[in-house]
Amino acid sequence: MEAKTRSQETAADESTRPAPPALPWSARLQIFALSAATDLAQRSNGTVNRFLFKLGDRQTPARPSPDALGIRSNDLTVDATRNLWARVYSPAAEAAGAGPLPVVVYFHGGGLTFLSPSSLPVDGMCRRFCHELGAVVVSVNYRLAPEHRYPAAYDDCEEVLRYLGATGLPADIAVPVDLSRCFLAGDSAGGNIVHHVAQRWTSSPPSNNPVRLAGIILLQAYFGGEERTEAELRLEGVAPLVNMRRSDWSWRAFLPEGADRNHPAAHVTGEAGPEPELQEAFPPAMVVVGGLDPLQDWQRRYAAMLLRKGKTARLVEFPGAIHAFYAFPELPDAVKLVEEIKAFMDSYASAH
């Protein structure tokens, strides 16, 4: 079986491979630093050298004072025993306008093994989302693999929703919020978490909890399987950040010992097992795909699965976009993406 897999990986027609994407130097530099740090940190024995990864993972503290956009951020402890916390971004009071703001609960990417809300690209992206979407953003620091394997990340992110419903947001936030207009959003591995938390929340909704999922936003979600898709083969060695080696390592680090990539945490589209059970309350989904992302076939399959099951799925494609393009505000597609998210949220924020 291994020999067959290797043969499939090398069988991609070289003539179909696109040229490497043309990126501004600032994006190239950040991608190089993050890729190098990831490769140094992923040990062959399945553990992580977190010290080496920090060399490429620039951190920033919360900033309670308003920034140039008027955005404040504060860190909120949910469960100190497992280092579960969230960074809350809120706009100035006048941003609320006539009524309370929706809440976006955000799950960061990083292959379920790296990054945090204090990572500079994650922090910057959440600040932009808060400002441009007119929402309070809650960015979750969930536990990382391999120290904390499946289902720790899902447990943590679900717990934050329960906490928000029971405790609410900090009193020093200057704007009112409406937890019945709560959107789950996440990029890459965070998109994977979005699906699983939404499935959990709507399958066993806690009683008397005001959090209602108005929609879910999956930015280039990290799904997978034992199969090598056409895009994975065609973009191997061409697309930045994501390749099969890094991705396979992350799945081995996260999934239960001995599980393969057809485990239901990774493979949610039904080709290698039953499709996930989705309740009637499963929220409308926005599924974002990039044409230079090796994971794109899994993401399109996910949107197709939702439609087969009678769910609402809005597929938004950016043909020239690399994986994690949204982290680079200098890219035009990053600006367009925020406009698409805003339109999606406006469509479903008032639907009850």
Side-chain angles (χ1 to χ4, degrees), residues 5 101 134 142 193 196 249 256 329 337:
T5 301
L101 298 180
Y142 55 87
I193 296 173
H196 288 287
W249 186 97
L337 171 65

Side-chain angles (χ1 to χ4, degrees), residues 75-87:
D75 290 344
L76 171 68
T77 299
V78 177
D79 185 348
T81 64
R82 50 177 153 160
N83 194 32
L84 177 56
W85 56 274
R87 182 161 293 179

Side-chain angles (χ1 to χ4, degrees), residues 29-41 49-59 114-116 118-122 241 328:
L29 184 61
Q30 292 179 67
I31 289 169
F32 172 80
L34 186 57
S35 298
T38 299
D39 290 341
L40 288 171
N49 187 324
R50 300 228 172 261
F51 173 79
L52 286 179
F53 184 74
K54 287 180 181 179
L55 298 178
D57 180 24
R58 294 179 296 163
Q59 302 276 303
F114 296 116
L115 301 177
S116 77
S118 58
S119 297
L120 195 60
V122 179
L241 285 176
F328 306 104

Side-chain angles (χ1 to χ4, degrees), residues 42-127:
Q42 290 182 331
R43 295 188 178 115
S44 58
N45 65 359
T47 61
V48 170
N49 187 324
R50 300 228 172 261
F51 173 79
L52 286 179
F53 184 74
K54 287 180 181 179
L55 298 178
D57 180 24
R58 294 179 296 163
Q59 302 276 303
T60 185
R63 287 181 273 175
S65 299
D67 63 11
L69 298 175
I71 305 302
R72 304 168 60 216
S73 61
N74 296 275
D75 290 344
L76 171 68
T77 299
V78 177
D79 185 348
T81 64
R82 50 177 153 160
N83 194 32
L84 177 56
W85 56 274
R87 182 161 293 179
V88 181
Y89 301 83
S90 58
E94 54 269 23
L101 298 180
V103 176
V104 175
V105 180
Y106 197 83
F107 310 137
H108 66 81
L112 298 157
T113 55
F114 296 116
L115 301 177
S116 77
S118 58
S119 297
L120 195 60
V122 179
D123 180 83
M125 186 164 51
C126 288
R127 286 181 178 276

Side-chain angles (χ1 to χ4, degrees), residues 1-349:
M1 178 61 71
E2 181 67 16
K4 181 179 179 181
T5 301
R6 295 301 178 195
S7 176
Q8 290 173 340
E9 291 176 9
T10 58
D13 184 353
E14 293 294 329
S15 66
T16 66
R17 291 179 182 270
L23 298 169
W25 70 267
S26 56
R28 292 200 306 270
L29 184 61
Q30 292 179 67
I31 289 169
F32 172 80
L34 186 57
S35 298
T38 299
D39 290 341
L40 288 171
Q42 290 182 331
R43 295 188 178 115
S44 58
N45 65 359
T47 61
V48 170
N49 187 324
R50 300 228 172 261
F51 173 79
L52 286 179
F53 184 74
K54 287 180 181 179
L55 298 178
D57 180 24
R58 294 179 296 163
Q59 302 276 303
T60 185
R63 287 181 273 175
S65 299
D67 63 11
L69 298 175
I71 305 302
R72 304 168 60 216
S73 61
N74 296 275
D75 290 344
L76 171 68
T77 299
V78 177
D79 185 348
T81 64
R82 50 177 153 160
N83 194 32
L84 177 56
W85 56 274
R87 182 161 293 179
V88 181
Y89 301 83
S90 58
E94 54 269 23
L101 298 180
V103 176
V104 175
V105 180
Y106 197 83
F107 310 137
H108 66 81
L112 298 157
T113 55
F114 296 116
L115 301 177
S116 77
S118 58
S119 297
L120 195 60
V122 179
D123 180 83
M125 186 164 51
C126 288
R127 286 181 178 276
R128 296 196 304 274
F129 285 168
C130 179
H131 178 255
E132 298 294 336
L133 300 178
V136 169
V137 176
V138 180
S139 180
V140 179
N141 186 69
Y142 55 87
R143 287 172 293 172
L144 300 175
E147 296 89 343
H148 305 282
R149 291 177 174 268
Y150 165 91
Y154 304 156
D155 292 343
D156 288 354
C157 292
E158 183 182 10
E159 180 62 26
V160 168
L161 291 187
R162 295 180 182 274
Y163 178 92
L164 292 177
T167 307
L169 288 164
D172 58 354
I173 289 181
V175 294
V177 299
D178 181 1
L179 289 173
S180 73
R181 294 188 292 151
C182 180
F183 292 82
L184 301 185
D187 68 279
S188 194
N192 175 290
I193 296 173
V194 163
H195 163 76
H196 288 287
V197 172
Q199 184 184 15
R200 286 179 170 205
W201 193 258
T202 53
S203 296
S204 301
S207 59
N208 302 318
N209 192 304
V211 173
R212 170 191 165 272
L213 301 187
I216 58 175
I217 301 161
L218 298 90
L219 308 181
Q220 298 182 305
Y222 182 42
F223 298 126
E226 285 297 295
E227 173 193 353
R228 298 301 193 192
T229 68
E230 184 276 335
E232 286 175 311
L233 295 170
R234 174 170 49 86
L235 293 172
E236 182 71 1
V238 175
L241 285 176
V242 174
N243 59 35
M244 288 186 280
R245 178 186 56 77
R246 291 175 187 148
S247 183
D248 291 355
W249 186 97
S250 292
W251 283 127
R252 287 194 300 272
F254 175 70
L255 295 174
E257 294 280 0
D260 66 20
R261 295 187 302 275
N262 287 337
H263 186 280
H267 197 299
V268 301
T269 54
E271 294 84 6
E275 291 181 344
E277 292 292 330
L278 302 180
Q279 301 300 313
E280 183 177 352
F282 192 86
M286 174 178 169
V287 181
V288 175
V289 175
L292 292 176
D293 180 8
L295 302 176
Q296 62 187 275
D297 292 335
W298 297 111
Q299 296 150 9
R300 292 193 189 95
R301 290 181 186 183
Y302 177 73
M305 180 273 292
L306 294 181
L307 293 174
R308 284 198 304 273
K309 298 181 81 65
K311 305 304 177 185
T312 299
R314 180 181 296 183
L315 183 65
V316 180
E317 301 224 21
F318 294 89
I322 63 170
H323 192 81
F325 72 95
Y326 34 76
F328 306 104
E330 61 269 39
L331 299 180
D333 281 343
V335 177
K336 295 176 185 175
L337 171 65
V338 177
E339 296 170 355
E340 292 283 355
I341 296 174
K342 175 64 173 172
F344 175 80
M345 290 178 59
D346 289 345
S347 296
Y348 296 103

